[in-house]
mmCIF file of all heavy atoms in Angstrom:
data_model
loop_
_atom_site.group_PDB
_atom_site.id
_atom_site.type_symbol
_atom_site.label_atom_id
_atom_site.label_comp_id
_atom_site.label_asym_id
_atom_site.label_seq_id
_atom_site.Cartn_x
_atom_site.Cartn_y
_atom_site.Cartn_z
ATOM 1 N N SER E 40 -66.211 -49.988 21.690
ATOM 2 C CA SER E 40 -66.365 -50.683 20.457
ATOM 3 C C SER E 40 -65.521 -51.994 20.426
ATOM 4 O O SER E 40 -65.746 -52.912 19.541
ATOM 5 C CB SER E 40 -65.926 -49.839 19.185
ATOM 6 O OG SER E 40 -64.563 -49.598 19.271
ATOM 7 N N ALA E 41 -64.642 -52.162 21.307
ATOM 8 C CA ALA E 41 -63.730 -53.416 21.486
ATOM 9 C C ALA E 41 -63.164 -53.528 22.778
ATOM 10 O O ALA E 41 -63.349 -52.598 23.654
ATOM 11 C CB ALA E 41 -62.643 -53.311 20.342
ATOM 12 N N ARG E 42 -62.535 -54.553 23.045
ATOM 13 C CA ARG E 42 -61.899 -54.813 24.430
ATOM 14 C C ARG E 42 -60.453 -54.234 24.349
ATOM 15 O O ARG E 42 -59.920 -53.980 23.326
ATOM 16 C CB ARG E 42 -61.833 -56.283 24.682
ATOM 17 C CG ARG E 42 -63.131 -57.035 24.708
ATOM 18 C CD ARG E 42 -62.875 -58.584 24.822
ATOM 19 N NE ARG E 42 -62.026 -58.974 23.770
ATOM 20 C CZ ARG E 42 -61.295 -60.141 23.814
ATOM 21 N NH1 ARG E 42 -61.370 -60.863 24.957
ATOM 22 N NH2 ARG E 42 -60.516 -60.527 22.898
ATOM 23 N N TYR E 43 -59.983 -53.856 25.553
ATOM 24 C CA TYR E 43 -58.574 -53.422 25.606
ATOM 25 C C TYR E 43 -57.664 -54.443 25.030
ATOM 26 O O TYR E 43 -56.623 -54.106 24.403
ATOM 27 C CB TYR E 43 -58.205 -53.056 27.008
ATOM 28 C CG TYR E 43 -58.685 -51.722 27.461
ATOM 29 C CD1 TYR E 43 -59.776 -51.641 28.320
ATOM 30 C CD2 TYR E 43 -58.122 -50.620 27.040
ATOM 31 C CE1 TYR E 43 -60.359 -50.359 28.657
ATOM 32 C CE2 TYR E 43 -58.654 -49.306 27.384
ATOM 33 C CZ TYR E 43 -59.717 -49.257 28.195
ATOM 34 O OH TYR E 43 -60.226 -48.037 28.527
ATOM 35 N N GLU E 44 -57.938 -55.700 25.176
ATOM 36 C CA GLU E 44 -57.051 -56.749 24.745
ATOM 37 C C GLU E 44 -56.880 -56.709 23.225
ATOM 38 O O GLU E 44 -55.860 -56.977 22.656
ATOM 39 C CB GLU E 44 -57.579 -58.121 25.207
ATOM 40 C CG GLU E 44 -57.518 -58.380 26.681
ATOM 41 C CD GLU E 44 -58.768 -57.772 27.411
ATOM 42 O OE1 GLU E 44 -59.607 -57.147 26.695
ATOM 43 O OE2 GLU E 44 -58.839 -57.955 28.657
ATOM 44 N N ASP E 45 -58.008 -56.331 22.554
ATOM 45 C CA ASP E 45 -57.948 -56.215 21.114
ATOM 46 C C ASP E 45 -57.067 -55.097 20.638
ATOM 47 O O ASP E 45 -56.358 -55.222 19.667
ATOM 48 C CB ASP E 45 -59.358 -56.031 20.584
ATOM 49 C CG ASP E 45 -60.331 -57.142 20.859
ATOM 50 O OD1 ASP E 45 -59.825 -58.301 20.928
ATOM 51 O OD2 ASP E 45 -61.503 -56.918 21.150
ATOM 52 N N LYS E 46 -57.155 -53.951 21.442
ATOM 53 C CA LYS E 46 -56.435 -52.772 21.062
ATOM 54 C C LYS E 46 -54.888 -53.088 21.060
ATOM 55 O O LYS E 46 -54.086 -52.617 20.207
ATOM 56 C CB LYS E 46 -56.626 -51.662 21.989
ATOM 57 C CG LYS E 46 -55.914 -50.334 21.723
ATOM 58 C CD LYS E 46 -56.229 -49.293 22.743
ATOM 59 C CE LYS E 46 -55.399 -49.470 23.993
ATOM 60 N NZ LYS E 46 -53.963 -49.084 23.814
ATOM 61 N N GLU E 47 -54.342 -53.832 22.128
ATOM 62 C CA GLU E 47 -52.966 -54.143 22.206
ATOM 63 C C GLU E 47 -52.326 -54.844 21.040
ATOM 64 O O GLU E 47 -51.166 -54.689 20.774
ATOM 65 C CB GLU E 47 -52.787 -54.972 23.449
ATOM 66 C CG GLU E 47 -53.101 -54.365 24.742
ATOM 67 C CD GLU E 47 -52.394 -53.086 25.087
ATOM 68 O OE1 GLU E 47 -51.130 -53.109 24.736
ATOM 69 O OE2 GLU E 47 -52.885 -52.194 25.625
ATOM 70 N N LYS E 48 -53.177 -55.567 20.191
ATOM 71 C CA LYS E 48 -52.669 -56.329 19.070
ATOM 72 C C LYS E 48 -52.230 -55.431 18.005
ATOM 73 O O LYS E 48 -51.460 -55.902 17.130
ATOM 74 C CB LYS E 48 -53.700 -57.320 18.600
ATOM 75 C CG LYS E 48 -54.201 -58.322 19.659
ATOM 76 C CD LYS E 48 -55.412 -59.103 19.195
ATOM 77 C CE LYS E 48 -55.984 -60.060 20.182
ATOM 78 N NZ LYS E 48 -57.136 -60.784 19.719
ATOM 79 N N THR E 49 -52.693 -54.151 17.911
ATOM 80 C CA THR E 49 -52.411 -53.383 16.736
ATOM 81 C C THR E 49 -51.557 -52.076 17.101
ATOM 82 O O THR E 49 -51.333 -51.373 16.219
ATOM 83 C CB THR E 49 -53.731 -52.857 16.092
ATOM 84 O OG1 THR E 49 -54.396 -51.980 17.045
ATOM 85 C CG2 THR E 49 -54.652 -53.934 15.809
ATOM 86 N N LEU E 50 -51.064 -51.990 18.368
ATOM 87 C CA LEU E 50 -50.423 -50.737 18.742
ATOM 88 C C LEU E 50 -49.124 -50.503 18.061
ATOM 89 O O LEU E 50 -48.643 -49.438 18.011
ATOM 90 C CB LEU E 50 -50.172 -50.832 20.271
ATOM 91 C CG LEU E 50 -51.347 -50.345 21.115
ATOM 92 C CD1 LEU E 50 -51.072 -50.578 22.599
ATOM 93 C CD2 LEU E 50 -51.735 -48.849 20.847
ATOM 94 N N THR E 51 -48.466 -51.606 17.527
ATOM 95 C CA THR E 51 -47.124 -51.377 16.923
ATOM 96 C C THR E 51 -47.204 -51.187 15.445
ATOM 97 O O THR E 51 -46.228 -51.068 14.765
ATOM 98 C CB THR E 51 -46.282 -52.623 17.203
ATOM 99 O OG1 THR E 51 -46.862 -53.748 16.765
ATOM 100 C CG2 THR E 51 -45.970 -52.731 18.657
ATOM 101 N N GLU E 52 -48.391 -51.159 14.877
ATOM 102 C CA GLU E 52 -48.587 -50.973 13.381
ATOM 103 C C GLU E 52 -47.957 -49.607 13.003
ATOM 104 O O GLU E 52 -48.260 -48.579 13.648
ATOM 105 C CB GLU E 52 -50.053 -50.932 13.074
ATOM 106 C CG GLU E 52 -50.820 -52.286 13.165
ATOM 107 C CD GLU E 52 -50.553 -53.175 11.978
ATOM 108 O OE1 GLU E 52 -49.807 -52.670 11.037
ATOM 109 O OE2 GLU E 52 -50.885 -54.395 12.075
ATOM 110 N N ARG E 53 -47.201 -49.656 11.944
ATOM 111 C CA ARG E 53 -46.600 -48.414 11.372
ATOM 112 C C ARG E 53 -47.707 -47.591 10.714
ATOM 113 O O ARG E 53 -47.668 -46.338 10.692
ATOM 114 C CB ARG E 53 -45.496 -48.713 10.404
ATOM 115 C CG ARG E 53 -44.239 -49.335 11.049
ATOM 116 C CD ARG E 53 -43.568 -48.367 11.995
ATOM 117 N NE ARG E 53 -42.985 -47.164 11.452
ATOM 118 C CZ ARG E 53 -41.847 -47.032 10.820
ATOM 119 N NH1 ARG E 53 -41.017 -48.148 10.818
ATOM 120 N NH2 ARG E 53 -41.378 -45.952 10.342
ATOM 121 N N GLU E 54 -48.676 -48.277 10.036
ATOM 122 C CA GLU E 54 -49.748 -47.543 9.320
ATOM 123 C C GLU E 54 -50.737 -47.296 10.379
ATOM 124 O O GLU E 54 -51.513 -48.153 10.758
ATOM 125 C CB GLU E 54 -50.216 -48.417 8.202
ATOM 126 C CG GLU E 54 -51.496 -47.878 7.567
ATOM 127 C CD GLU E 54 -51.352 -46.378 7.146
ATOM 128 O OE1 GLU E 54 -50.393 -46.048 6.353
ATOM 129 O OE2 GLU E 54 -52.091 -45.554 7.603
ATOM 130 N N VAL E 55 -50.931 -45.959 10.718
ATOM 131 C CA VAL E 55 -51.750 -45.602 11.890
ATOM 132 C C VAL E 55 -53.180 -45.904 11.672
ATOM 133 O O VAL E 55 -53.889 -46.240 12.657
ATOM 134 C CB VAL E 55 -51.537 -44.109 12.230
ATOM 135 C CG1 VAL E 55 -50.076 -43.889 12.701
ATOM 136 C CG2 VAL E 55 -51.849 -43.215 11.025
ATOM 137 N N LEU E 56 -53.691 -45.884 10.444
ATOM 138 C CA LEU E 56 -55.090 -46.158 10.239
ATOM 139 C C LEU E 56 -55.457 -47.577 10.331
ATOM 140 O O LEU E 56 -56.585 -47.978 10.398
ATOM 141 C CB LEU E 56 -55.600 -45.546 8.901
ATOM 142 C CG LEU E 56 -55.568 -44.003 8.709
ATOM 143 C CD1 LEU E 56 -56.171 -43.665 7.382
ATOM 144 C CD2 LEU E 56 -56.336 -43.328 9.868
ATOM 145 N N SER E 57 -54.359 -48.464 10.514
ATOM 146 C CA SER E 57 -54.522 -49.863 10.768
ATOM 147 C C SER E 57 -54.609 -50.200 12.270
ATOM 148 O O SER E 57 -55.045 -51.293 12.605
ATOM 149 C CB SER E 57 -53.479 -50.712 10.121
ATOM 150 O OG SER E 57 -53.441 -50.608 8.734
ATOM 151 N N ARG E 58 -54.352 -49.285 13.120
ATOM 152 C CA ARG E 58 -54.452 -49.461 14.530
ATOM 153 C C ARG E 58 -55.905 -49.468 14.931
ATOM 154 O O ARG E 58 -56.736 -48.901 14.248
ATOM 155 C CB ARG E 58 -53.664 -48.301 15.291
ATOM 156 C CG ARG E 58 -52.238 -48.297 15.056
ATOM 157 C CD ARG E 58 -51.540 -47.085 15.589
ATOM 158 N NE ARG E 58 -50.031 -47.099 15.205
ATOM 159 C CZ ARG E 58 -49.294 -46.010 15.367
ATOM 160 N NH1 ARG E 58 -49.705 -44.965 15.885
ATOM 161 N NH2 ARG E 58 -47.985 -46.130 14.986
ATOM 162 N N LEU E 59 -56.264 -50.128 16.024
ATOM 163 C CA LEU E 59 -57.672 -50.435 16.274
ATOM 164 C C LEU E 59 -58.466 -49.192 16.466
ATOM 165 O O LEU E 59 -59.521 -49.121 15.921
ATOM 166 C CB LEU E 59 -57.776 -51.225 17.599
ATOM 167 C CG LEU E 59 -59.174 -51.769 17.907
ATOM 168 C CD1 LEU E 59 -59.205 -53.151 18.313
ATOM 169 C CD2 LEU E 59 -59.818 -50.810 18.955
ATOM 170 N N LYS E 60 -58.040 -48.211 17.179
ATOM 171 C CA LYS E 60 -58.802 -47.005 17.394
ATOM 172 C C LYS E 60 -59.196 -46.363 16.083
ATOM 173 O O LYS E 60 -60.320 -46.049 15.793
ATOM 174 C CB LYS E 60 -58.033 -45.940 18.181
ATOM 175 C CG LYS E 60 -57.723 -46.346 19.658
ATOM 176 C CD LYS E 60 -57.211 -45.165 20.476
ATOM 177 C CE LYS E 60 -56.188 -44.286 19.774
ATOM 178 N NZ LYS E 60 -54.818 -44.962 19.675
ATOM 179 N N GLU E 61 -58.178 -46.155 15.262
ATOM 180 C CA GLU E 61 -58.401 -45.462 13.972
ATOM 181 C C GLU E 61 -59.154 -46.262 13.020
ATOM 182 O O GLU E 61 -60.118 -45.752 12.328
ATOM 183 C CB GLU E 61 -56.986 -45.150 13.396
ATOM 184 C CG GLU E 61 -56.230 -44.040 14.110
ATOM 185 C CD GLU E 61 -55.430 -44.536 15.274
ATOM 186 O OE1 GLU E 61 -55.608 -45.631 15.745
ATOM 187 O OE2 GLU E 61 -54.542 -43.762 15.794
ATOM 188 N N SER E 62 -58.923 -47.608 12.957
ATOM 189 C CA SER E 62 -59.678 -48.443 12.044
ATOM 190 C C SER E 62 -61.162 -48.513 12.375
ATOM 191 O O SER E 62 -62.072 -48.535 11.522
ATOM 192 C CB SER E 62 -59.066 -49.892 11.925
ATOM 193 O OG SER E 62 -59.155 -50.548 13.195
ATOM 194 N N HIS E 63 -61.425 -48.592 13.675
ATOM 195 C CA HIS E 63 -62.824 -48.673 14.138
ATOM 196 C C HIS E 63 -63.528 -47.320 13.843
ATOM 197 O O HIS E 63 -64.724 -47.324 13.474
ATOM 198 C CB HIS E 63 -62.853 -48.927 15.645
ATOM 199 C CG HIS E 63 -62.909 -50.427 15.936
ATOM 200 N ND1 HIS E 63 -63.643 -51.012 16.953
ATOM 201 C CD2 HIS E 63 -62.302 -51.420 15.368
ATOM 202 C CE1 HIS E 63 -63.397 -52.277 16.947
ATOM 203 N NE2 HIS E 63 -62.562 -52.519 16.015
ATOM 204 N N PHE E 64 -62.863 -46.283 14.011
ATOM 205 C CA PHE E 64 -63.410 -44.942 13.673
ATOM 206 C C PHE E 64 -63.720 -44.810 12.251
ATOM 207 O O PHE E 64 -64.734 -44.391 11.780
ATOM 208 C CB PHE E 64 -62.485 -43.847 14.169
ATOM 209 C CG PHE E 64 -63.068 -42.454 14.046
ATOM 210 C CD1 PHE E 64 -63.955 -41.895 15.028
ATOM 211 C CD2 PHE E 64 -62.739 -41.681 12.929
ATOM 212 C CE1 PHE E 64 -64.414 -40.678 14.815
ATOM 213 C CE2 PHE E 64 -63.273 -40.319 12.819
ATOM 214 C CZ PHE E 64 -64.115 -39.843 13.797
ATOM 215 N N GLU E 65 -62.782 -45.199 11.379
ATOM 216 C CA GLU E 65 -62.865 -45.052 9.992
ATOM 217 C C GLU E 65 -63.965 -45.904 9.313
ATOM 218 O O GLU E 65 -64.736 -45.407 8.510
ATOM 219 C CB GLU E 65 -61.508 -45.536 9.193
ATOM 220 C CG GLU E 65 -60.449 -44.414 9.215
ATOM 221 C CD GLU E 65 -60.898 -43.230 8.348
ATOM 222 O OE1 GLU E 65 -61.077 -43.384 7.136
ATOM 223 O OE2 GLU E 65 -61.044 -42.149 8.915
ATOM 224 N N CYS E 66 -64.198 -47.110 9.916
ATOM 225 C CA CYS E 66 -65.203 -48.052 9.353
ATOM 226 C C CYS E 66 -66.574 -47.787 9.983
ATOM 227 O O CYS E 66 -67.589 -48.355 9.567
ATOM 228 C CB CYS E 66 -64.787 -49.472 9.441
ATOM 229 S SG CYS E 66 -64.938 -50.074 11.088
ATOM 230 N N GLY E 67 -66.662 -46.890 10.948
ATOM 231 C CA GLY E 67 -67.964 -46.535 11.627
ATOM 232 C C GLY E 67 -68.322 -47.399 12.773
ATOM 233 O O GLY E 67 -69.397 -47.222 13.382
ATOM 234 N N SER E 68 -67.403 -48.351 13.193
ATOM 235 C CA SER E 68 -67.629 -49.105 14.391
ATOM 236 C C SER E 68 -67.567 -48.296 15.708
ATOM 237 O O SER E 68 -67.991 -48.673 16.778
ATOM 238 C CB SER E 68 -66.638 -50.309 14.513
ATOM 239 O OG SER E 68 -66.870 -51.168 13.436
ATOM 240 N N ALA E 69 -66.819 -47.154 15.670
ATOM 241 C CA ALA E 69 -66.728 -46.318 16.756
ATOM 242 C C ALA E 69 -67.078 -44.842 16.313
ATOM 243 O O ALA E 69 -66.796 -44.437 15.143
ATOM 244 C CB ALA E 69 -65.223 -46.270 17.343
ATOM 245 N N ASP E 70 -67.558 -44.158 17.308
ATOM 246 C CA ASP E 70 -67.987 -42.673 17.004
ATOM 247 C C ASP E 70 -67.070 -41.705 17.582
ATOM 248 O O ASP E 70 -67.085 -40.500 17.232
ATOM 249 C CB ASP E 70 -69.466 -42.472 17.596
ATOM 250 C CG ASP E 70 -70.439 -43.426 17.096
ATOM 251 O OD1 ASP E 70 -70.640 -43.478 15.909
ATOM 252 O OD2 ASP E 70 -71.003 -44.171 17.939
ATOM 253 N N THR E 71 -66.204 -42.181 18.442
ATOM 254 C CA THR E 71 -65.227 -41.218 19.097
ATOM 255 C C THR E 71 -64.033 -42.012 19.586
ATOM 256 O O THR E 71 -64.105 -43.247 19.821
ATOM 257 C CB THR E 71 -65.846 -40.458 20.273
ATOM 258 O OG1 THR E 71 -64.943 -39.497 20.821
ATOM 259 C CG2 THR E 71 -66.328 -41.326 21.391
ATOM 260 N N PHE E 72 -62.905 -41.287 19.760
ATOM 261 C CA PHE E 72 -61.717 -41.901 20.318
ATOM 262 C C PHE E 72 -60.892 -40.735 20.810
ATOM 263 O O PHE E 72 -60.981 -39.658 20.374
ATOM 264 C CB PHE E 72 -61.007 -42.882 19.416
ATOM 265 C CG PHE E 72 -60.345 -42.278 18.198
ATOM 266 C CD1 PHE E 72 -58.970 -42.081 18.109
ATOM 267 C CD2 PHE E 72 -61.122 -41.801 17.097
ATOM 268 C CE1 PHE E 72 -58.374 -41.516 16.984
ATOM 269 C CE2 PHE E 72 -60.516 -41.231 15.959
ATOM 270 C CZ PHE E 72 -59.133 -41.113 15.932
ATOM 271 N N THR E 73 -59.916 -41.120 21.674
ATOM 272 C CA THR E 73 -59.039 -40.128 22.242
ATOM 273 C C THR E 73 -57.667 -40.514 21.906
ATOM 274 O O THR E 73 -57.226 -41.692 21.826
ATOM 275 C CB THR E 73 -59.164 -40.000 23.799
ATOM 276 O OG1 THR E 73 -58.251 -38.984 24.274
ATOM 277 C CG2 THR E 73 -58.890 -41.297 24.460
ATOM 278 N N LEU E 74 -56.796 -39.442 21.642
ATOM 279 C CA LEU E 74 -55.360 -39.599 21.308
ATOM 280 C C LEU E 74 -54.775 -38.264 21.537
ATOM 281 O O LEU E 74 -55.351 -37.328 21.928
ATOM 282 C CB LEU E 74 -55.168 -40.144 19.886
ATOM 283 C CG LEU E 74 -55.393 -39.196 18.745
ATOM 284 C CD1 LEU E 74 -54.989 -39.977 17.432
ATOM 285 C CD2 LEU E 74 -56.840 -38.828 18.551
ATOM 286 N N CYS E 75 -53.458 -38.151 21.267
ATOM 287 C CA CYS E 75 -52.759 -36.887 21.420
ATOM 288 C C CYS E 75 -53.361 -35.790 20.507
ATOM 289 O O CYS E 75 -53.940 -36.150 19.396
ATOM 290 C CB CYS E 75 -51.277 -37.047 21.319
ATOM 291 S SG CYS E 75 -50.710 -37.394 19.596
ATOM 292 N N GLU E 76 -53.132 -34.547 20.754
ATOM 293 C CA GLU E 76 -53.603 -33.426 19.991
ATOM 294 C C GLU E 76 -53.126 -33.487 18.560
ATOM 295 O O GLU E 76 -53.874 -33.420 17.590
ATOM 296 C CB GLU E 76 -53.249 -32.202 20.637
ATOM 297 C CG GLU E 76 -53.559 -30.860 19.927
ATOM 298 C CD GLU E 76 -53.037 -29.628 20.523
ATOM 299 O OE1 GLU E 76 -52.430 -29.698 21.655
ATOM 300 O OE2 GLU E 76 -53.197 -28.612 19.946
ATOM 301 N N TRP E 77 -51.818 -33.733 18.434
ATOM 302 C CA TRP E 77 -51.161 -33.794 17.067
ATOM 303 C C TRP E 77 -51.766 -34.989 16.309
ATOM 304 O O TRP E 77 -51.980 -34.896 15.154
ATOM 305 C CB TRP E 77 -49.620 -33.918 17.258
ATOM 306 C CG TRP E 77 -49.065 -32.929 18.176
ATOM 307 C CD1 TRP E 77 -48.774 -31.650 17.933
ATOM 308 C CD2 TRP E 77 -48.739 -33.162 19.569
ATOM 309 N NE1 TRP E 77 -48.301 -31.009 19.120
ATOM 310 C CE2 TRP E 77 -48.260 -31.986 20.187
ATOM 311 C CE3 TRP E 77 -48.833 -34.265 20.414
ATOM 312 C CZ2 TRP E 77 -47.856 -31.843 21.449
ATOM 313 C CZ3 TRP E 77 -48.486 -34.193 21.771
ATOM 314 C CH2 TRP E 77 -47.957 -33.003 22.255
ATOM 315 N N GLY E 78 -51.885 -36.145 16.997
ATOM 316 C CA GLY E 78 -52.487 -37.243 16.322
ATOM 317 C C GLY E 78 -53.885 -37.088 15.901
ATOM 318 O O GLY E 78 -54.336 -37.553 14.890
#
Side-chain angles (χ1 to χ4, degrees):
S40 67
R42 303 173 304 160
Y43 280 105
E44 295 82 359
D45 298 325
K46 181 182 83 71
E47 296 298 322
K48 300 172 185 175
T49 65
L50 277 176
T51 56
E52 291 281 353
R53 293 295 296 274
E54 174 48 58
V55 295
L56 293 185
S57 296
R58 296 171 184 168
L59 185 139
K60 298 194 310 293
E61 289 85 346
S62 64
H63 275 217
F64 186 82
E65 278 294 297
C66 75
S68 296
D70 305 299
T71 183
F72 67 107
T73 180
L74 73 174
C75 67
E76 176 186 356
W77 312 277

